[in-house]
Amino acid sequence: MMVSPMAERNKETILEVLADYVDDTSAAFGLELGSGTGQHVVHFAQALPTVIWQPSEISPASQQSISAYIRATKVTNVREPLAIDVSQPWDQWAGLGQGCCDFILMINLLHMTDQGLEGMFKGIGQLLKPGGICLAYGPFATNGIIFPECNMKLNEILQARNPEWGLRDVEELRQLANTNELRLERMLEMPEYTKCLIFRRREL
């Protein structure tokens, strides 16, 4: 199993936000895009047993780590990871059907997405049920400003690795969401200069 110290630090604070949107009296289905090591999804599954969680990762090593966490924690409400490439059209996301998700999670994913951001939001709009929630967590720019210095340095490092990477501006994401039947409902300040963005799928 791979271990991310950052995931260990932030998994509980993200869970506290997510739990506000989970009805513990009814079953639900949640998709995590870019699940990384698997630490988040098993933590959420243990705390929110009414949700069936579907992790996903394009990296074989990460897929193996997710599977190892599922085995180690003995969670029964996490499916084996799917190989989803978010740069591809949503109808190629491992056969997931339109309107199948109550929740979609993206944790520290958007600033390392090098292409297909518009397609990703189109997919989220297609996969979420009306009223469904997308939670995006990570460092973001606000009105073109990146703050503080540690986030500026992170942005420079990311763009040096890949010019298409970098911190996304909240307004850019709000506009992308709006064109895909999603609205930015909440923006919460989180520890370590990160944010949680809550997008809700518009009702039909």
Side-chain angles (χ1 to χ4, degrees), residues 33 86 93 106 109-110 113 116-125:
L33 296 173
V86 294
W93 291 5
M106 300 183 291
L109 175 65
L110 292 175
T113 302
L117 194 61
E118 292 181 12
M120 185 191 302
F121 271 85
K122 182 176 181 179
I124 292 166

Side-chain angles (χ1 to χ4, degrees), residues 140-142 170 184-189 195-198:
F140 297 98
T142 306
V170 172
L184 179 58
E185 183 172 274
R186 292 175 73 192
M187 180 171 70
L188 297 92
E189 297 294 332
K195 294 177 172 62
C196 254
L197 308 182
I198 303 294

Side-chain angles (χ1 to χ4, degrees), residues 167-179:
L167 274 61
R168 305 299 181 183
D169 196 285
V170 172
E171 179 59 22
E172 174 195 12
L173 301 178
R174 188 193 66 78
Q175 293 180 16
L176 279 173
N178 193 51
T179 60

Side-chain angles (χ1 to χ4, degrees), residues 140-183:
F140 297 98
T142 306
N143 298 322
I145 298 170
I146 297 174
F147 180 84
E149 186 176 352
C150 60
N151 278 354
M152 295 171 64
K153 288 182 178 178
L154 172 62
N155 190 61
E156 291 172 1
I157 291 168
L158 289 168
Q159 293 194 328
R161 290 176 61 188
N162 185 329
E164 297 299 317
W165 288 5
L167 274 61
R168 305 299 181 183
D169 196 285
V170 172
E171 179 59 22
E172 174 195 12
L173 301 178
R174 188 193 66 78
Q175 293 180 16
L176 279 173
N178 193 51
T179 60
N180 289 288
E181 301 300 325
L182 301 158
R183 61 182 174 85

